[in-house]
Amino acid sequence: MKRITIALWAMLALALAGPATAQAPIVIKFSHVVAPDTPKGKGSLKFKELAEKYTNGKVVVEVYPNSQLYKDNEELQALQLGAVQMLAPSLAKFGPLGVREFEVFDMPFILPSKAALRKVTDGPLGAKLMGMLQPKGIVGLAYWDNGFKDMSANKPLRTPADFRGLKMRIQSSKVLEAQMRALGAIPQVMAFSEVYQALATGVVDGTENPPSNEYTQKMHEVQKYTTHSEHGYVGYAVITNKRFWDGLPADVRANLSKAMAEATAFTNEIAQKENDEALDEIKKSGKSQIITLTAAEKAAWRKALEPVYTEMTSRVGKQILAEFEKEVNSVSH
C-alpha cells in the first residue's frame, strides 16, 4: 500500500509541475531522518547552499529533516520511485535493499579509527560498494560521517551480562541483530523517528547511537545511563535516483558533484567535533550518567561479540570482509 501511495504522490508531483520551461529550476528534494543540527543535517544544508551557488540558481535544493517526508523504512522506496531525488541513509539501510555488503560497516569494533575509515571510504573498496547500488536505480555520491556509537539504557551497561534480556532498538541490519543477540539482548528494529517515544514509554529499554543523535533527539533525557563504548560506527551514503542524475545537463551535474565534494569535506570535518560536544552536553545535563569502559571491560565486550563475525561473514561476503580488514589493517593506529 505504501508503495502505491508513494507512486501516486510522485505522479501527482510531476503532473502539478506542468511542462518544463527554460526558466524553471531543477528541484532536488533532499530528505533525511535526523535533526538539522546533527552532522548530516548541517551537511545537507551546506550542500543546498553550494549547489544553488554553483549552478547559479538552475537548481533549488529543498531539505526535509526529521522524517518530515518519509520515515527511514520508506525513504529508499520513495527515491527509487522518484518522489525524492536525494537521501543520506545510514549504511545499514542497504542490507534490506539487497546490497548486504554494506552491512560490513556494522560489524562490531571493525573500525579502530577515522583514518582506517577514510582508507575504506575514499579508496577502491568504497567505490566498489557504491557501484553495487547502480542495479537498484541508485547512484552513490559520497560517504558522510556521523561517528562511533555508544550504548544507552536505564541501567548501567558495563559487561555483556548487563545486556541480558534488555530490549534494544537497532536499525534494520542482520549484523546489528546478531550483535545484540551476542550480548544477550533482544534486538528491536524500529524507525528512528519512533525511538524517543519508545524509550520514554518503555517499549524498548535502550539503544545505540552516536552522541550527536542521542543528544539532538533528547534520548538522553529518557536514558539514565550512556556507556561511551564506541563499539560500532554510523555513517551515511548520500545517494540519488539514477534516472534523475543521468538526465541532468552535464554542466549541472558537474557543479552538483563539486558542491557534494565540498559538502562532504565540511560534514566529515565537523562530525567528530559535533559528537564530542554532544557527549559533553549529555554529561552536563546530569540526566544520563556517562560510563567509560575500562580496558578490561572493553576486552570483555570484544570477546562477547566475536561470534558475530563467524555468523555474519557469509552475509556480508567473505571477500568484502577480507578486503575491508586489509584496508583497515594497512593503516597504523
Side-chain angles (χ1 to χ4, degrees), residues 145-212:
D145 281 354
N146 187 330
F148 292 100
K149 294 182 287 188
D150 295 337
M151 293 282 193
S152 67
N154 283 322
K155 63 175 282 192
L157 300 174
R158 292 185 181 278
T159 70
D162 295 330
F163 285 86
R164 198 162 296 137
L166 293 184
K167 291 174 289 186
M168 298 292 288
R169 181 268 171 178
I170 58 164
Q171 298 183 73
S172 182
S173 161
K174 295 298 180 188
V175 173
L176 297 180
E177 284 182 31
Q179 169 194 278
M180 290 304 184
R181 284 199 308 270
L183 292 168
I186 304 160
Q188 305 280 306
V189 175
M190 182 179 292
F192 186 71
S193 58
E194 297 167 10
V195 179
Y196 173 85
Q197 190 64 22
L199 292 169
T201 56
V203 171
V204 293
D205 300 307
T207 187
E208 56 171 12
N209 262 304
S212 66

Side-chain angles (χ1 to χ4, degrees), residues 286-333:
K287 292 179 177 177
S288 190
Q289 183 183 327
I290 306 294
I291 295 168
T292 302
L293 298 175
T294 65
E297 286 168 343
K298 192 167 264 198
W301 283 45
R302 287 178 183 272
K303 186 168 178 56
L305 290 165
E306 279 173 8
V308 177
Y309 283 79
T310 307
E311 187 182 344
M312 288 290 123
T313 294
S314 61
R315 180 174 174 85
V316 302
K318 191 174 182 180
Q319 182 64 31
I320 288 290
L321 184 60
E323 287 179 44
F324 199 102
E325 290 181 325
K326 182 183 176 186
E327 294 287 3
V328 166
N329 292 333
S330 70
V331 178
S332 54
H333 311 312

